[in-house]
Amino acid sequence: MNIFKKLLPTKAGISGLKKYSGASCLAFLHSAPDTTVEIHSQEQEVVIALGSNVGDRINNFNEALQLMNKLGIHVRKHGCLYESEPAYYTDQPRFLNSAIRAVTKLGPHELLGVLKKIEREMGRTDGIRYGPRPIDLDILFYGKFKVCSDLLTVPHERISERPFVVAPLIDLLGSAIDSDIVARWHSLLSDSDGLFGVWEKLGGESLIGREGLKRVFPIGNHLWDWSEKTTVMGILNLTPDSFSDGRMFQSVDAAVSQVRLMVSEGADMIDIGAQSTRPMASRISVGEELDRLIPVLEAVVKMPEMEGKLISVDTFYSDVASEAVSKGAHLINDVSAGQLDPKMHRVVANLNVPYVAMHMRGDPCTMQSSDNLQYNDVCMQIASELASRVRDAELSGIPAWRIITDPGIGFSKNLEHNLDILMRLPAIRAEMARTSLAISHAPLLIGPSRKGFLGEICKRTTAAERDPATIASITAGILGGANIVRVHNVKDNLDAAKLCDAMLKVKGRKTQA
């Protein structure tokens, strides 16, 4: 039986996309009257949807991604992660959904075969249609082509009716259509406004948090919905030369007491740093950083008060990251976004923990040099440079659904730059969205606490005297879209965060009314 009936590009493109039009084809060798063999040497870009609602859903996604990469499907981009109510057959657990962009030399039916093989290896069996499954892998797009056969239809025929498919699919795109392949995907659907039109007709961003669909982030042993409230991250510095609290928490007992205080005041996360990243700080070795960090980390992990709380480790060394996670840390906070240790992205990818990618130029010794402080538009360049580093992280295997972004207040920035960041967080998100909507949706962290620019403005030379200015800065940041605030004074900043959250909820209700 000839399973190949049709594999041709469609004719029409959506409005405004004509400049990207171009012919594409695949070659076929007919080896016998009743068979068709695909001859396919050129790499094609594909989009694959992922779903799971049986077992450890996150682990199922991780395993599926690993198998895809081993079997000739090289993942390049990831959508966000969504939890959704089951469709069609509703008497089953909630699904996790996402999507990936990848490149492959597999022909469309070969690709289908590989995906079915992965599903079988991961325990999927024939059962109720649309019923429970450990993994579900669907081809949404294959290059610039339409595929119609007895076994395969691409684009997937039910894309337009499934918000849980369209949401992560949209994440894989940029708000700017910058390539012919993306333009083709838009034009392959019947909607004249392409994928964005399909998403808007379904309800667009207004669907998120409603209609059984929410964006989530795997962290610790749960799925975090960062839109519910601002997360407060308390700072624990173990360094002798921190600008704010150097030498105060070097002993294990002092560190544990400070963590106990911050948790009692309402901290959701504790960020432990054993290497100073203040301007002009000298770099210490991996061994010295671990000597400072591990005894405190081990003690903090054992604290009963830490039940339900999260531990972040602030490091730019991959060896420290690996050891910290093995001792109980939940996420890695890297001020260099992988620039200071070429192994960091690959190591974090294998650790399967969230990763904070912060913007900085140079290192703490050079970040405030005149060259590193040169910007034409600080927010646009932060967004562009940070997006590039996040792309590197994704290519190394860190999914977008495990990345937190940080514009790096105080790092390679002067006073005016820092103020510009606080006032223009939405512009940073919008610029990142041009190339990746997934990254623009990622949780956004800011860390202005007690920094020098606040002292310069308010004439406060002592770091601890800058708490009122810190409260003002995190208030501006939360109202501008920050999801996580990293602070020394948890109690007062938590009150500010609660007030901001209350105002944003009222604003949201008015927007929906």
Side-chain angles (χ1 to χ4, degrees), residues 410-483:
F411 290 79
S412 314
K413 322 291 189 307
N414 62 25
L415 186 153
E416 289 187 5
H417 296 150
N418 292 323
L419 295 178
D420 205 10
I421 293 168
L422 286 171
M423 293 186 293
R424 296 177 62 206
L425 291 177
I428 293 175
R429 281 197 191 270
E431 182 63 19
M432 288 194 291
R434 287 178 57 80
T435 55
S436 172
L437 285 161
I439 297 307
S440 76
H441 293 316
L444 182 65
L445 183 153
I446 59 167
S449 186
R450 297 181 178 176
K451 287 190 173 171
F453 78 101
L454 301 176
E456 189 176 345
I457 293 168
C458 300
K459 310 302 181 195
R460 302 294 184 186
T461 56
T462 303
E465 295 177 344
R466 301 170 191 162
D467 282 346
T470 298
I471 293 168
S473 64
I474 73 112
T475 297
I478 294 169
L479 294 178
N483 308 106

Side-chain angles (χ1 to χ4, degrees), residues 258-276:
Q258 179 64 7
V259 170
R260 185 172 290 117
L261 172 64
M262 290 191 288
V263 170
S264 71
E265 292 178 342
D268 302 293
M269 299 182 184
I270 302 297
D271 188 47
I272 306 176
Q275 170 128 222
S276 177

Side-chain angles (χ1 to χ4, degrees), residues 291-345:
D291 287 344
R292 292 178 184 173
L293 171 68
I294 297 304
V296 171
L297 177 58
E298 290 177 332
V300 170
V301 166
K302 294 175 183 176
M303 293 172 61
E305 296 90 341
M306 289 303 293
E307 180 70 27
K309 305 296 181 180
L310 297 168
I311 300 171
S312 165
V313 168
D314 183 353
T315 185
F316 49 73
Y317 283 139
S318 60
D319 289 344
V320 173
S322 183
E323 185 68 14
V325 171
S326 75
K327 298 296 185 181
H330 301 106
L331 65 156
I332 298 301
N333 182 7
D334 180 3
V335 297
S336 79
Q339 300 297 291
L340 297 181
D341 184 340
K343 297 186 298 180
M344 178 62 95
H345 289 161

Side-chain angles (χ1 to χ4, degrees), residues 238-250:
L238 308 181
T239 58
D241 54 347
S242 168
F243 77 93
S244 175
D245 44 18
R247 296 189 184 280
M248 291 180 63
F249 309 117
Q250 286 187 276

